[in-house]
């Protein structure tokens, strides 16, 4: 069997060559990629608490003993009206400790702010924090007692206040219990209906 040769028209041959050359020259400048939304950001468990809480309590601890630099304190003595008998009229046993609260860098800033709020009656118009003691008969004992008072006040203000969560409506568990009780009551009333035989 003799297969006749295929005859192509010259215009068809040139057109095929042009299409081949065009397909070789054409290169897409971009490729289509379907949109993928970014993964949701993980929300930390304490995010809601951090917005309401001013300070983080993770590394904040109340020290057992607060060292007070006595060179930062101004100590003065006066006549006491407390115990001492005739000694009260002769010796200045009353002790008055004072220090400028805003410039007391040995106290953390937030503790100073709490002292201004909690112990505002101990701060005079010049910004000095004043503590007096006249319970004992000697200056030494009153001085120790005044420093102990200052340490106790600092400890009470050192602790950060707890954030109280306000109750907002019923809890999730209470709502579920309420639904269950309503279903039980509804079923009980359904059973009370008259039955037609």
């Amino acid at each position: 069997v003799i297969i006749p040769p295929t005859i192509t028209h010259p215009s068809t041959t040139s057109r095929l060559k042009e299409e081949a050359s065009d397909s070789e020259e054409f290169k897409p400048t971009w490729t289509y990629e379907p949109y993928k939304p970014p993964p949701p950001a993980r929300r930390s468990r304490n995010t809601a608490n951090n917005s309401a809480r001013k300070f983080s309590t993770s590394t904040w601890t109340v020290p057992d003993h607060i060292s007070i630099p006595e060179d930062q304190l101004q100590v003065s003595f006066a006549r006491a009206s407390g115990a001492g008998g005739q000694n009260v009229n002769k010796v200045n046993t009353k002790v008055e400790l004072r220090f400028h609260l805003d410039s007391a860098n040995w106290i953390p800033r937030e503790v100073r702010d709490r002292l201004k709020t909690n112990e505002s009656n101990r701060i005079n118009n010049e910004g000095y924090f004043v503590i007096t003691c006249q319970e004992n008969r000697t200056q030494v004992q009153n001085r120790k007692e005044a420093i102990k008072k200052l340490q106790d006040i600092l400890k009470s203000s050192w602790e950060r206040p707890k954030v109280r969560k306000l109750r907002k409506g019923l809890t999730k568990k209470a709502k579920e219990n309420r639904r269950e009780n309503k279903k039980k009551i509804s079923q009980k009333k359904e059973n009370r209906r008259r039955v037609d035989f």
Side-chain angles (χ1 to χ4, degrees):
V1 178
I2 299 172
I3 300 172
T6 57
I7 300 171
T8 57
H9 197 271
S11 62
T12 306
T13 306
S14 61
R15 183 168 56 81
L16 292 173
K17 287 182 180 180
E18 288 178 0
E19 289 179 357
S21 63
D22 291 343
S23 62
E24 290 177 359
E25 292 177 359
F26 177 74
K27 292 181 180 180
T29 56
W30 59 277
T31 56
Y32 171 74
E33 293 182 1
Y35 173 73
K36 295 180 180 180
R42 291 186 62 185
R43 187 177 179 183
S44 62
R45 188 176 296 176
N46 298 327
T47 304
N49 294 336
N50 291 337
S51 61
R53 185 176 295 178
K54 189 174 181 181
F55 304 105
S56 173
T57 57
S58 57
T59 58
W60 185 266
T61 55
V62 180
D64 296 331
H65 178 75
I66 300 173
S67 60
I68 300 173
E70 296 191 14
D71 57 339
Q72 301 289 331
L73 304 177
Q74 299 178 10
V75 184
S76 60
F77 302 96
R79 297 286 173 89
S81 61
Q86 291 298 320
N87 188 56
V88 173
N89 301 326
K90 299 177 183 178
V91 184
N92 295 331
T93 56
K94 178 181 177 181
V95 177
E96 185 178 282
L97 296 180
R98 59 169 59 201
F99 63 92
H100 196 262
L101 188 59
D102 288 332
S103 60
N105 295 326
W106 50 278
I107 303 175
R109 184 52 150 172
E110 58 179 283
V111 178
R112 282 182 273 169
D113 293 339
R114 283 196 283 273
L115 285 173
K116 289 178 182 178
T117 305
N118 302 335
E119 304 290 337
S120 58
N121 58 336
R122 295 182 183 271
I123 303 171
N124 59 17
N125 296 331
E126 298 174 356
Y128 281 89
F129 194 89
V130 182
I131 294 177
T132 59
C133 182
Q134 57 181 357
E135 285 81 11
N136 301 299
R137 297 187 59 178
T138 62
Q139 289 183 357
V140 176
Q141 290 176 336
N142 283 331
R143 184 188 178 105
K144 289 181 180 178
E145 189 68 26
I147 291 176
K148 186 177 181 301
K149 277 185 182 180
L150 179 57
Q151 285 181 345
D152 293 341
I153 292 170
L154 289 177
K155 277 187 181 181
S156 63
S157 296
W158 206 285
E159 186 176 358
R160 286 174 174 166
K162 294 181 180 178
V163 177
R164 305 293 181 184
K165 292 183 179 179
L166 297 177
R167 182 181 174 187
K168 296 181 180 178
L170 297 175
T171 61
K172 192 174 181 180
K173 185 68 176 176
K175 288 180 180 179
E176 291 178 359
N177 293 337
R178 184 168 172 267
R179 290 194 200 99
E180 291 294 328
N181 291 333
K182 288 180 73 175
K183 285 181 183 179
K184 290 178 181 179
I185 293 171
S186 177
Q187 187 67 31
K188 187 190 298 183
K189 291 184 177 181
E190 186 73 23
N191 294 334
R192 289 176 185 169
R193 287 187 178 184
R194 182 178 297 176
V195 180
D196 295 333
F197 295 101

